[in-house]
Amino acid sequence: MGSIHIDLSGMSHPIDVDGSKNVVKEVDFMPKPKTPMHLTFNEVCCYVPAHFEVPGMMSKLNKLKKAFGRGKDEVIKGADKKERQILHNITGVVNPGEVVAIMGPSGSGKTTFISLLAGRNKARHTGSILYNDQHKPTDKAFKRQLGYVTQEDALYEGLTVFETLYYTAVLRLPRAMTEAEKRERVYIILEVLGISKVKGSIIGGFRVGRRGISGGEKKRVAIGQELLYNPSVILLDEPTSGLDSTTALNLIGTLETLAQVGNRTIVTTIHQPSSRIYQMLDKLLLMGQGHLLFYGDASAATDYFAEIGYAMPYGMNPADYFLDVASGWSGDGSKKAKDRTSVVQNTDPELKALLRAIERGRGLESKGGTDTALVPLAIDKKGGGGLGEEYKKELGATFATQVRVIAIRSLKDRRFEKFSVDTVFTMMFVAVLCGMLWWQSGLSKNTGTTEGAMDVSGVLFFMLTYLSFSLLFSSIFTFPNEKTMLMKERASGMYCVSAFFFGRTLADLPLDTCLPLLVSTGIYVMVGLKASVGAYVLSMCIVLLVCFTAASLGLFLGAWFLNLKRAQSAATVLMLTIMLTGGFFVRTTPAWMSWAKYLSYIMYGWSAMVKLHLRGALAKCGGENPSTEGICDYGALGVVKSDAYGGTEVSILLCMLIALRALVYIALRYRAHE
Ligand SMILES: Nc1ncnc2c1ncn2[C@@H]1O[C@H](COP(=O)(O)OP(=O)(O)OP(=O)(O)O)[C@@H](O)[C@H]1O
């Protein structure tokens, strides 16, 4: 077998890998991880609910009904019975320096198994998974030693490739490393993965409405994020899916190199490797319907299956053959397509036959009749022990850095959303429309009349309601959109929830301030509201308070539901209640609903604005002149008490804002831990 050259596009140290033995001739591009890890998994079984539970109220009510009808214990026992076993006693060992490829047909349990190895699967499972005989994958201190690349690429679509890797580096690499060292590491990763030529391109995607880098490049960025930290263990779920065969070959070659040079432990699922990729693999773990069919040297698999009666037809790609075998098709290559279909449709008996053959093979092996191995493979104890004190002291970014980086990253990620031409145009259009419809209504000569005062109170109410609506509904998207990223980054221990909360709050400030200020200033000038600096500044403060409160409500709903549709429905209900009970549309709310107006932050903001701009009109309403009380005909203004300058309303708004922000934090914490 000739030598394969792995093209790492411009890499300063090209790698030559011998195709048959994967011998790395020259590599020094990545620092070695501190602690080599051997992984042992023993009798791992996994169970999932057998029936899909329809979400929603009806299903919950039905469950409650059953619970009351049959007794709680009975229901729980019943639930246990309704489980389906999707992994069956998976056992094996992976030593440092090895790349293990998990293969199997679709639905055979590859993702379930690798996510269990990564400690990211909450499904009920038994058996043990240990790194260096002591660390569970879910251990907090160990998380940072483990790189896990999921099947779906969870990336911030608005960031460039370089920004994505750089911010991950700042958040994930030890705080002892300098800024220059972190940048250097990013450049190395860009080179290693052959994506340096797209470092300035955005990731792109549906959310930002722009096409960015290709699917294969996204995959490599996701892998790069995990390699940055230089972990001892790298787990990858289908890293080659969507890649052409040459790029896939390069990627597997890079993984082989990383394993051999850095003594890393690498486990990857792989869907349908080409024969060239197959020849590069060290170890193969073959699964079929959750059963372990083979675990051992990839080069020994063909002989092993031949010995148990599943000889590979001549000239076939071993990977294709093993997938056929694992799918339940065991006929030879000459069988007609018709026969194959009939066998595949009835996989269980075939799989049972294969499992029986494997058992017989084990019997032979124990008698020394065969040298091919199913499992377990020997543990190479050079893996070492625990993480060591040195590692434990190696902390990631400080809290302040976490907050700063999350804020900057978030600002950059949302640059396409908030300042898009569409958003600015819509807001400006509304401002100009308001200005034209209520042109100079705020001049004192106009507010002296009933109609004039009503006009101004109307435009103030509309302005606050419009800004509230747009901020509430845009904030709803924040957390549901970032859910996957938050879960992924939290799972690898990159930052704490409070840093995320403060970072996002900081990032919202400029974005949620600029546009409302611009719109309300436009309306202020065109409507001709009080021409004094004090009144203008106070008005803007009130507008911002209302906007921040609305945004907090949106963030809370988003964080609580983490589901856009439900959060939007809840927001619509709340917003309409807040608007209608605000006192502008309905002056006398029914007694049983009168409490609702106290929750209406729009009412407090509007009331404070009216007091600021229509004090004269309010006085005529009787607030300052008891003798005329009750004869006010200023419509909605009658509900505004002209007792002060709106201090009470502003204080209440402030309290609401703080309370809602606290609720956002609690919801986020609760969801993150969930
Ligand atoms: N949370 C779950 N609830 C119900 N069924 C599940 C759950 N997780 C996995 N399964 C089932 O377990 C089996 C294995 O799924 P898994 O995703 O691990 O397969 P896979 O080999 O990775 O498939 P693919 O190659 O198509 O990604 C499938 O039948 C799947 O439907």
Side-chain angles (χ1 to χ4, degrees):
M1 170 66 56
S3 146
I4 298 166
H5 178 72
I6 301 202
D7 173 20
L8 293 175
S9 338
M11 211 185 114
S12 51
H13 301 285
I15 309 162
D16 284 314
V17 179
D18 183 287
S20 57
K21 291 181 184 163
N22 300 339
V23 177
V24 179
K25 291 181 181 159
E26 185 199 348
V27 239
D28 59 349
F29 56 90
M30 284 279 289
K32 291 184 184 173
K34 291 199 172 87
T35 325
M37 293 276 163
H38 65 254
L39 158 66
T40 42
F41 37 92
N42 195 19
E43 304 276 313
V44 176
C45 300
C46 184
Y47 308 84
V48 291
H51 300 289
F52 170 63
E53 192 184 299
V54 183
M57 291 294 283
M58 284 317 288
S59 133
K60 283 201 177 105
L61 284 176
N62 278 339
K63 228 174 159 185
L64 267 178
K65 215 168 92 186
K66 276 185 199 162
F68 281 115
R70 291 196 281 152
K72 208 177 161 208
D73 291 346
E74 212 180 321
V75 171
I76 291 169
K77 259 188 247 158
D80 279 345
K81 276 185 208 151
K82 287 178 195 156
E83 279 185 337
R84 181 161 70 93
Q85 185 165 2
I86 54 171
L87 289 183
H88 302 258
N89 304 314
I90 312 287
T91 300
V93 175
V94 188
N95 289 312
E98 283 178 355
V99 176
V100 170
I102 305 178
M103 264 172 50
S106 183
S108 55
K110 302 182 294 295
T111 300
T112 307
F113 182 55
I114 202 156
S115 59
L116 284 175
L117 295 184
R120 315 280 171 95
N121 194 328
K122 294 270 159 69
R124 190 171 83 77
H125 59 277
T126 55
S128 75
I129 298 172
L130 286 177
Y131 290 88
N132 280 358
D133 299 328
Q134 46 185 301
H135 306 293
K136 286 186 186 163
T138 41
D139 287 351
K140 216 174 167 187
F142 179 67
K143 271 186 198 171
R144 296 168 64 86
Q145 281 292 72
L146 202 152
Y148 178 48
V149 182
T150 52
Q151 204 166 346
E152 300 83 27
D153 313 307
L155 298 167
Y156 282 106
E157 295 176 0
L159 298 183
T160 64
V161 170
F162 180 81
E163 285 165 351
T164 304
L165 291 175
Y166 175 69
Y167 293 132
T168 308
V170 178
L171 288 172
R172 224 171 166 188
L173 291 176
R175 64 181 68 164
M177 277 176 81
T178 64
E179 175 85 8
E181 284 169 338
K182 289 178 184 172
R183 275 179 185 273
E184 169 79 21
R185 181 75 65 89
V186 172
Y187 283 116
I188 291 173
I189 295 290
L190 286 168
E191 291 292 331
V192 165
L193 294 171
I195 43 175
S196 48
K197 59 181 180 299
V198 291
K199 66 174 187 283
S201 309
I202 64 155
I203 301 293
F206 177 74
R207 185 175 60 80
V208 293
R210 274 152 213 262
R211 173 90 173 79
I213 57 173
S214 74
E217 286 162 344
K218 276 185 194 164
K219 186 88 335 174
R220 279 181 276 172
V221 174
I223 295 172
Q225 281 187 308
E226 300 304 318
L227 288 186
L228 269 174
Y229 187 69
N230 199 15
S232 305
V233 182
I234 306 175
L235 307 171
L236 307 101
D237 194 6
E238 310 240 349
T240 56
S241 63
L243 301 187
D244 61 87
S245 60
T246 316
T247 316
L249 182 74
N250 286 343
L251 186 67
I252 297 296
T254 310
L255 293 180
E256 285 283 348
T257 311
L258 287 168
Q260 290 169 18
V261 175
N263 220 10
R264 293 174 183 86
T265 309
I266 301 186
V267 183
T268 175
T269 66
I270 190 159
H271 203 64
Q272 195 134 25
S274 66
S275 51
R276 286 169 79 199
I277 290 183
Y278 186 81
Q279 279 158 10
M280 290 177 85
L281 302 176
D282 287 337
K283 295 266 159 64
L284 171 70
L285 191 155
L286 185 67
M287 297 177 79
Q289 292 188 13
H291 294 272
L292 180 61
L293 304 181
F294 175 84
Y295 183 35
D297 289 341
S299 54
T302 320
D303 290 344
Y304 172 75
F305 279 103
E307 274 180 46
I308 61 167
Y310 289 76
M312 185 176 80
Y314 178 74
M316 231 184 141
N317 170 7
D320 290 344
Y321 179 68
F322 298 142
L323 284 180
D324 282 350
V325 170
S327 303
W329 176 68
S330 56
D332 62 36
S334 61
K335 273 201 171 181
K336 289 190 177 139
K338 196 173 125 230
D339 300 337
R340 285 184 204 177
T341 327
S342 63
V343 178
V344 170
Q345 273 166 359
N346 189 12
T347 50
D348 273 346
E350 286 294 330
L351 192 77
K352 276 181 193 151
L354 173 61
L355 289 171
R356 275 198 299 274
I358 288 170
E359 280 304 318
R360 280 198 301 276
R362 267 189 191 158
L364 276 178
E365 192 185 340
S366 61
K367 287 179 203 153
T370 178
D371 58 353
T372 50
L374 181 60
V375 269
L377 299 172
I379 299 178
D380 174 0
K381 282 291 179 187
K382 77 183 169 194
L387 297 175
E389 283 311 305
E390 190 189 352
Y391 170 73
K392 283 180 189 159
K393 274 187 228 142
E394 203 177 66
L395 299 168
T398 59
F399 182 76
T401 313
Q402 288 177 16
V403 173
R404 181 175 57 83
V405 171
I406 291 169
I408 297 173
R409 184 178 72 173
S410 186
L411 277 173
K412 292 207 167 160
D413 180 50
R414 292 166 74 198
R415 59 195 147 192
F416 298 107
E417 285 169 41
K418 284 276 171 150
F419 291 112
S420 73
V421 179
D422 305 349
T423 319
V424 175
F425 174 78
T426 314
M427 289 201 130
M428 285 298 110
F429 175 80
V430 173
V432 172
L433 188 69
C434 273
M436 288 192 315
L437 292 176
W438 277 283
W439 181 257
Q440 299 297 298
S441 318
L443 298 182
S444 53
K445 63 175 189 214
N446 296 331
T447 53
T449 65
T450 304
E451 291 77 20
M454 293 274 291
D455 275 354
V456 173
S457 79
V459 72
L460 292 176
F461 189 83
F462 175 79
M463 180 173 79
L464 292 177
T465 311
Y466 169 69
L467 290 173
S468 282
F469 257 101
S470 58
L471 274 146
L472 175 76
F473 281 93
S474 67
S475 317
I476 275 180
F477 289 80
T478 304
F479 294 124
N481 275 344
E482 291 190 19
K483 175 172 82 173
T484 328
M485 293 302 302
L486 176 66
M487 301 306 168
K488 173 183 146 179
E489 296 183 335
R490 285 276 307 139
S492 52
M494 265 165 80
Y495 47 72
C496 46
V497 179
S498 46
F500 183 76
F501 169 76
F502 285 116
R504 291 290 305 155
T505 306
L506 264 182
D508 283 345
L509 270 183
L511 295 169
D512 291 350
T513 307
C514 291
L515 281 178
L517 276 186
L518 216 65
V519 171
S520 43
T521 304
I523 295 177
Y524 196 98
V525 173
M526 284 187 273
V527 172
L529 295 171
K530 271 188 182 169
S532 81
V533 176
Y536 171 75
V537 172
L538 267 176
S539 302
M540 292 306 117
C541 289
I542 296 169
V543 167
L544 287 182
L545 255 180
V546 171
C547 288
F548 291 160
T549 312
S552 308
L553 183 60
L555 286 176
F556 170 68
L557 295 175
W560 183 253
F561 291 108
L562 280 185
N563 172 318
L564 265 184
K565 223 171 157 200
R566 291 172 83 182
Q568 273 176 328
S569 309
T572 309
V573 170
L574 272 174
M575 196 63 205
L576 287 177
T577 313
I578 284 167
M579 197 177 80
L580 293 177
T581 55
F584 185 80
F585 293 115
V586 185
R587 268 178 285 162
T588 39
T589 12
W592 63 272
M593 267 193 81
S594 55
W595 54 269
K597 70 169 180 270
Y598 297 109
L599 297 179
S600 171
Y601 60 85
I602 294 183
M603 189 268 283
Y604 293 115
W606 174 66
S607 196
M609 288 289 264
V610 163
K611 283 180 182 179
L612 187 64
H613 291 282
L614 295 172
R615 285 199 62 75
L618 287 176
K620 287 186 198 164
C621 271
E624 286 179 353
N625 183 357
S627 63
T628 56
E629 199 159 9
I631 57 160
C632 171
D633 62 351
Y634 282 143
L637 292 186
V639 299
V640 180
K641 302 276 173 280
S642 62
D643 51 348
Y645 288 88
T648 318
E649 284 85 349
V650 170
S651 315
I652 295 174
L653 265 179
L654 256 175
C655 292
M656 282 180 123
L657 173 63
I658 295 168
L660 275 168
R661 283 279 155 175
L663 280 178
V664 175
Y665 177 69
I666 293 167
L668 210 54
R669 263 212 102 80
Y670 173 69
R671 288 298 185 192
H673 282 280
E674 214 184 25

